[in-house]
Amino acid sequence: MSSKSFILKALEQTAIAPQPMPEINVAPRVDDLIGQFETNLNTVAGVLHRAGSLDLVQEKVNTLVAEGKQVISLVDGINANRETPEDQHDLKDIDFAVIPGELAVAENGAIWVKQPEGHRVTPFICENLLLVVEADNVVANMHQAVKKLTLDSGKFGAFIAGPSKTADIEQALVVGAHGACSLNVYLV
Amino acid sequence: MKIALFIPCLVNQMFPEVGVATLELLEKLGHEVILPEGQTCCGQPMTNSGCYEDAKKTTLKLLNAFKGVECDAIVCPAASCLVAAKENFHEFDNSPEAQVVIDKLYELTEFLHDVAPIAEFKKPFPHKVSLQMSCHGIRMLSLATPSENMSLQRHNKVEAVLSQIADIEICYPERRDECCGFGGTFAVDEGAVSAKMSKDKAYFHYETGAKYVVGFDPSCLMNIDGMIRRQKLPIETRHIAQVINEAL
Amino acid sequence: MSHTASKIHADKAAIFCKDEDRVNWHSKALWLLREKRDRAASSLPEWEQLRQLGSEIKLHTLTNLAKYLEMFEQNCQANGIQVHWAKDAAEHNEIVHGILSHHQVKKLVKSKSMLTEECHMNPYLEERGIEVIDTDLGERIIQLAGQPPSHIVVPAIHLKKEEVGELFHEKIGTEAGASDPTYLTRAARAHLREQFLSADAAMTGVNMAIAEKGAVVVCTNEGNADMGANLPKVQIHSMGMDKMVPNLDSAAVLLRMLARNATGQPVTTYSSFYRGPKAGGEMHVVIVDNGRSNMLKDKILAESLKCIRCGGCMNTCPVYRRSGGHSYNYTIPGPIGIAVGAQKDDTNSIAWACTLCGSCTQVCPTKVPLDKIIHHHRRLKAEAGNLPYGKRSYMPVVGKVMGSAPMLNTSMAMARTALRILPGSLLKPFAGAWGKYRELPVAPKSSFEAWYKKNRS
């Protein structure tokens, strides 16, 4: 007998009584979504630029490039100084990545980043991350977020809430563990 | 009302004053109080250890002491014994007679809050008391909303009853409903951890500046008292029945 | 510690308790997590509703587990994911090794997975010439220290920063005497970045597996799972089969509670959904039973499989905080460790490392009735004749004495008299742990019953 059959057969003897799937109906908190999002983003050590526009983002990128930073942009209309390389390992020296966020979640400051153009590792391997989200795409909570997010077959996506962090040494919070060391979110 | 006292073995043998206070306060409130004979242990030390076979005889003996006793309520001044009695009666006897007994079982605070509230206290109790919110009373009898629970509707029957007494000042230790470390045989089997829990609890109560640690569970109070005296802390334990009886 | 040292919880706990300052530090550090959890949970008016939903979703999934596992497998395959089934730890390790050796993997980067700890996978792979690098900072610390995790969320919580500083100085060349957490974390970042960039394969645990989508969800704060899984060609995700949830809506409910209950964060920094391999890569999911289907056959033990591994029960547990994670004779410590590990505990002691206070049950985001499960384990142990030594000898005696009113009264009266007339110093040796740490009770002259007979009847 295969292990699969073995396991499925063993599960026939489950002792707990059948339970129906509950209806998930949780009242959302809908007041001041952007304000809630900003508060929570700050809690997770991210920074919000409320009155952002693509022009502002481009200005920021231009400044960074002028400073000699290595910047890659996956946002349409934003131009930077690095292209997507063939091999994802070659992203290791990227200082800033500009990436579109599909949704922002007010209750926890998370941004849903669907599979980016190029390599999946881009939002994680860069030293600093800039996410660009349309202001209309702020949702109240995770229940709403999962109803709207894009996660196509064969693809990847992630909720990103702030820069990478750890508190594994004596619970002292340190920002910048393995992923990006800073997160700036531009609402456009 | 006619009340049958359920006096657990620990109270009977080690804290008769708690039994006396319970009886006196119920009488002062106008109830008729009786003590059914033949009460033994509720079986908790054995069932909590997993030894159900060893508990059966004891539990059934206690249950039989109450079967057929004419009364409106069975009241017990020890929360964890009451919880154990309820569970163990049910475990070993599912007859309708047993259910009649189970349905009448109340912990003292619960009885005074839910069933027969005290109309008026006659005397003040001008002392600061630090409440000992023992685990089984809080989390299994729902005497108060546990600190872990985030329900918007919160209740605290212990405080509700005591706060009616004039001049009483109620406070809580840090980590208000953390276990005191007694846990029945845990105090013997896991001596070091139990002692550390008890020590922390004794100090948290002491640090409130209260004169008394007041609780509804004699076993926890006995544990904390043993530690208070070992650490020579200037605070004393009192059972809630003693405080109420003094104020009536 | 020598090999002959006792593995019994009370013995290990007694050693931990000898250093009271350290116990205070450990207990406080974890209580701080409990307080953060309380703040985060109370910020959501729907918290208790979410717990109820969490419990019902998990129970529903567990009672339909075969259906959801098959749905998950089919959907995974449609997404280009290869699914493997392992009935036990040995088979899990063989499957992983098979995949790795097929790709001639020399270095595997791993992000936190209690399942691979449960399966003792690291030594298995290392014996076969594969270097395994734990990449979560806490896990890396204990890996370098040669220790098991002492907590499922903060695995190095038992170590002080000075100890980590010394370890890093020795192993990764940080400055001698340096113990600043930011400095040490930066050093680990640089050290582990090299490992990520040179790894041949990556492995992660799974927080949730979504049946309807054929996707796995992995949550980290550090980003190590994503740095790992998204760099090398091969990614492997190992999951206990209890990690299944039906759909994205269910995952949302659990994600709202997981980090809040673990550390008080509103959500982990990264909650990553893998629904297929990267371009040109391979993605494998290993579904592991290893005793889980057996637990489902007992309706009380079954509920322990509702657990989402937030670690909240450890942070609130008054015993865990004062005995340390290494005192439990199982990979997972604390209340949930007892619930899922007591059957494998050959010391028959961890089931008794609990006062049955019930705080864990109240903290649990999926309402696992931990105190009830632990109590049930004691009963199962007793029925199987597996009581700890002390209990085996005294419990039947206690049962006999307590069950007989005359015996109880006689013995208690003797004890009362002894307590009253004998000096404490003479009694203490007979009072065991009680008398060692506390004063004995002050005995009254008579019992309540005697008073009652005299005054009321």
Side-chain angles (χ1 to χ4, degrees):
Chain A
M1 186 167 29
S2 74
S3 291
K4 178 183 169 182
S5 319
F6 173 89
I7 291 167
L8 295 178
K9 187 145 182 62
L11 288 174
E12 287 169 11
Q13 295 169 59
T14 299
I16 31 179
Q19 299 274 330
M21 179 70 182
E23 193 188 332
I24 300 168
N25 189 1
V26 182
R29 193 185 144 191
V30 291
D31 61 294
D32 188 19
L33 289 183
I34 292 175
Q36 278 187 59
F37 174 70
E38 181 167 27
T39 305
N40 287 311
L41 182 64
N42 292 343
T43 303
V44 297
V47 178
L48 180 68
H49 302 268
R50 275 184 185 239
S53 67
L54 283 181
D55 291 342
L56 272 176
V57 179
Q58 184 65 59
E59 256 178 58
K60 174 71 182 169
V61 171
N62 293 345
T63 312
L64 292 169
V65 170
E67 287 169 5
K69 303 288 193 233
Q70 299 300 307
V71 187
I72 185 169
S73 169
L74 306 177
V75 175
D76 282 343
I78 302 294
N79 300 306
N81 59 353
R82 286 284 292 267
E83 297 295 318
T84 297
E86 188 79 14
D87 182 345
Q88 57 264 29
H89 293 80
D90 295 334
L91 290 162
K92 66 185 177 196
D93 63 337
I94 292 291
D95 297 308
F96 284 83
V98 188
I99 295 177
E102 189 179 33
L103 299 166
V105 187
E107 68 151 317
N108 56 21
I111 296 112
W112 175 256
V113 177
K114 65 176 179 178
Q115 169 137 337
E117 298 284 317
H119 301 296
R120 286 181 180 183
V121 81
T122 313
F124 309 105
I125 199 169
C126 59
E127 281 290 312
N128 302 280
L129 182 59
L130 303 183
L131 291 175
V132 180
V133 187
E134 287 179 28
D136 291 345
N137 289 339
V138 183
V139 298
N141 57 31
M142 295 293 272
H143 308 296
Q144 297 186 348
V146 296
K147 292 213 182 296
K148 287 184 77 174
L149 61 78
T150 308
L151 180 65
D152 292 331
S153 171
K155 299 296 183 188
F156 166 83
F159 286 104
I160 298 180
S164 151
K165 55 185 88 69
T166 184
D168 273 350
I169 301 176
E170 278 201 18
Q171 299 232 35
L173 179 70
V174 180
V175 171
H178 300 305
C181 294
S182 75
L183 172 69
N184 280 270
V185 180
Y186 288 81
L187 278 188
V188 298
Chain B
M1 291 173 80
K2 186 171 180 185
I3 296 168
L5 285 182
F6 162 21
I7 300 296
C9 51
L10 183 76
V11 173
N12 184 37
Q13 298 291 346
M14 297 306 296
F15 302 103
E17 67 275 18
V18 170
V20 173
T22 305
L23 179 134
E24 286 182 354
L25 82 87
L26 290 170
E27 286 179 343
K28 285 180 193 172
L29 293 170
H31 301 296
E32 183 193 344
V33 187
I34 57 166
L35 180 71
E37 275 186 37
Q39 297 186 36
T40 57
C41 170
C42 59
Q44 180 170 218
M46 290 76 93
T47 51
N48 274 5
S49 295
C51 305
Y52 278 72
E53 270 314 301
D54 297 321
K56 193 170 178 179
K57 193 177 155 202
T58 309
T59 303
L60 290 177
K61 202 168 169 68
L62 179 65
L63 174 58
N64 284 333
F66 292 111
K67 273 191 186 171
V69 170
E70 236 183 86
C71 64
D72 303 303
I74 301 167
V75 175
C76 171
S80 73
C81 303
L82 182 94
V83 171
K86 263 189 186 176
E87 287 176 359
N88 294 347
F89 289 173
H90 187 74
E91 169 76 32
F92 295 118
D93 186 348
N94 52 16
S95 69
E97 295 79 25
Q99 195 57 48
V100 169
V101 172
I102 291 169
D103 291 343
K104 285 183 187 171
L105 286 171
Y106 293 97
E107 184 277 334
L108 176 65
T109 322
E110 184 184 32
F111 178 77
L112 295 176
H113 184 274
D114 297 357
V115 183
I118 300 170
E120 186 192 7
F121 285 95
K122 297 204 167 57
K123 293 178 224 160
F125 191 81
H127 304 292
K128 186 171 181 179
V129 300
S130 181
L131 295 191
Q132 167 55 32
M133 304 300 271
S134 295
C135 305
H136 287 189
I138 303 300
R139 301 195 182 89
M140 280 146 218
L141 268 184
S142 196
L143 292 181
T145 310
S147 61
E148 303 88 8
N149 187 293
M150 297 299 156
S151 298
L152 303 178
Q153 276 87 40
R154 309 191 72 77
H155 68 273
N156 183 337
K157 297 179 186 177
V158 191
E159 189 175 315
V161 170
L162 286 175
S163 62
Q164 294 177 72
I165 301 173
D167 300 339
I168 194 167
E169 188 187 342
I170 294 170
C171 66
Y172 294 89
E174 203 182 314
R175 304 183 196 167
R176 67 156 67 190
D177 50 16
E178 187 184 35
C179 179
C180 72
F182 179 62
T185 55
F186 180 86
V188 180
D189 299 333
E190 286 268 0
V193 176
S194 170
K196 180 58 182 151
M197 288 166 70
S198 312
K199 188 174 171 188
D200 287 351
K201 182 58 84 181
Y203 273 92
F204 286 148
H205 278 300
Y206 156 70
E207 283 160 8
T208 62
K211 184 167 188 202
Y212 300 114
V213 177
V214 173
F216 45 77
D217 216 320
S219 48
C220 307
L221 292 174
M222 175 178 76
N223 176 44
I224 294 165
D225 173 65
M227 189 53 80
I228 284 173
R229 287 188 291 120
R230 172 61 61 92
Q231 299 293 324
K232 301 188 169 42
L233 299 175
I235 187 167
E236 292 172 35
T237 54
R238 285 287 182 279
H239 190 275
I240 188 171
Q242 295 170 291
V243 175
I244 293 171
N245 191 36
E246 237 186 280
L248 280 172
Chain C
M1 196 180 289
S2 77
H3 290 291
T4 53
S6 168
K7 293 194 293 173
I8 293 169
H9 182 273
D11 296 342
K12 290 187 132 188
I15 293 168
F16 189 79
C17 281
K18 276 185 184 158
D19 184 349
E20 190 171 3
D21 287 343
R22 197 176 186 101
V23 175
N24 288 339
W25 171 79
H26 187 261
S27 177
K28 202 174 157 188
L30 289 151
W31 185 260
L32 192 69
L33 284 179
R34 161 72 205 275
E35 288 178 324
K36 287 180 181 170
R37 172 266 176 199
D38 285 355
R39 282 196 291 275
S42 64
S43 75
L44 296 184
E46 64 268 39
W47 183 258
E48 295 299 326
Q49 184 193 1
L50 290 174
R51 286 180 71 223
Q52 185 59 31
L53 283 171
S55 173
E56 289 176 17
I57 289 166
K58 291 296 276 187
L59 274 179
H60 167 76
T61 315
L62 290 171
T63 54
N64 295 278
L65 194 52
K67 177 185 98 178
Y68 284 120
L69 284 169
E70 287 197 282
M71 184 195 292
F72 174 71
E73 180 185 43
Q74 278 173 16
N75 288 329
C76 278
Q77 285 163 349
N79 296 332
I81 301 167
Q82 299 178 47
V83 177
H84 312 261
W85 301 71
K87 59 180 182 300
D88 55 24
E91 192 176 10
H92 166 265
N93 293 347
E94 282 163 25
I95 290 167
V96 173
H97 181 245
I99 298 166
L100 296 179
S101 58
H102 176 73
H103 291 279
Q104 285 112 40
V105 169
K106 294 269 171 289
K107 183 187 282 184
L108 174 72
V109 282
K110 200 178 97 193
S111 86
K112 197 148 59 185
S113 156
M114 288 309 294
L115 178 62
T116 58
E117 287 288 334
E118 175 186 322
C119 295
H120 303 291
M121 186 195 75
N122 286 15
Y124 177 90
L125 292 180
E126 280 156 7
E127 279 165 24
R128 284 155 185 80
I130 295 168
E131 188 184 5
V132 183
I133 308 283
D134 276 314
T135 57
D136 170 81
L137 177 59
E139 297 256 309
R140 185 64 181 151
I141 291 169
I142 56 168
Q143 188 181 35
L144 290 173
Q147 295 177 354
S150 74
H151 189 289
I152 61 172
V153 173
V154 280
I157 188 68
H158 59 291
L159 293 174
K160 297 196 174 187
K161 59 180 192 280
E162 291 78 14
E163 292 166 314
V164 177
E166 251 175 70
L167 179 74
F168 275 17
H169 172 61
E170 187 192 323
K171 304 278 185 181
I172 64 171
T174 54
E175 283 171 45
S179 65
D180 174 56
T182 304
Y183 168 76
L184 295 174
T185 301
R186 288 282 181 271
R189 176 184 168 95
H191 157 73
L192 284 163
R193 207 152 251 252
E194 287 169 26
Q195 311 297 328
F196 284 124
L197 288 165
S198 59
D200 311 303
M203 186 160 186
T204 81
V206 170
N207 289 87
M208 288 151 216
I210 302 172
E212 268 184 27
K213 294 283 175 195
V216 297
V217 184
V218 183
C219 303
T220 73
N221 278 320
E222 299 182 4
N224 52 320
D226 303 296
M227 280 291 280
N230 292 323
L231 276 170
K233 181 181 173 209
V234 181
Q235 67 188 94
I236 305 170
H237 307 271
S238 280
M239 55 173 276
M241 60 187 193
D242 49 318
K243 290 299 162 70
M244 191 60 55
V245 294
N247 50 32
L248 282 174
D249 292 328
S250 318
V253 171
L254 302 179
L255 280 171
R256 294 192 73 193
M257 294 190 286
L258 179 62
R260 286 186 171 98
N261 219 57
T263 59
Q265 295 170 261
V267 67
T268 48
T269 304
Y270 304 102
S271 310
S272 303
F273 292 58
Y274 291 89
R275 204 185 170 200
K278 59 188 143 316
E282 259 181 37
M283 176 170 165
H284 299 263
V285 173
V286 189
I287 299 170
V288 183
D289 182 340
N290 203 31
R292 286 164 177 77
S293 60
N294 216 28
M295 294 190 89
L296 282 169
K297 292 174 190 165
D298 180 309
K299 69 176 192 290
I300 297 175
L301 299 187
E303 290 210 52
S304 55
L305 298 180
K306 295 194 294 184
C307 172
I308 59 171
R309 301 292 191 267
C310 68
C313 60
M314 293 167 202
N315 306 336
T316 201
C317 178
V319 177
Y320 170 85
R321 277 188 280 108
R322 292 172 181 83
S323 63
H326 291 157
S327 61
Y328 297 79
N329 184 32
Y330 188 62
T331 314
I332 300 175
I336 186 62
I338 302 174
V340 299
Q343 285 174 319
K344 297 170 186 167
D345 168 31
D346 56 0
T347 66
N348 298 315
S349 71
I350 63 172
W352 283 272
C354 165
T355 63
L356 302 178
C357 79
S359 182
C360 47
T361 299
Q362 295 285 333
V363 155
C364 179
T366 51
K367 297 193 172 184
V368 175
L370 287 154
D371 58 327
K372 195 171 139 196
I373 293 169
I374 293 168
H375 193 167
H376 185 58
H377 272 302
R378 295 179 184 180
R379 185 175 191 166
L380 294 177
K381 292 267 181 192
E383 284 170 2
N386 291 326
L387 285 174
Y389 173 70
K391 283 200 186 294
R392 202 159 56 231
S393 58
Y394 74 69
M395 259 315 144
V397 181
V398 174
K400 276 203 190 69
V401 173
M402 296 289 208
S404 146
M407 273 171 77
L408 179 62
N409 287 333
T410 311
S411 57
M412 290 299 272
M414 278 167 63
R416 252 195 345 258
T417 309
L419 280 171
R420 236 183 15 259
I421 62 170
L422 295 175
S425 57
L426 198 64
L427 284 171
K428 266 173 208 158
F430 299 101
W434 185 277
K436 186 174 170 193
Y437 300 107
R438 303 168 187 81
E439 294 304 315
L440 296 168
V442 180
K445 287 195 185 68
S446 78
S447 68
F448 174 73
E449 218 175 348
W451 180 93
Y452 184 87
K453 277 193 182 121
K454 196 169 149 198
N455 293 281
R456 286 294 187 279
S457 54

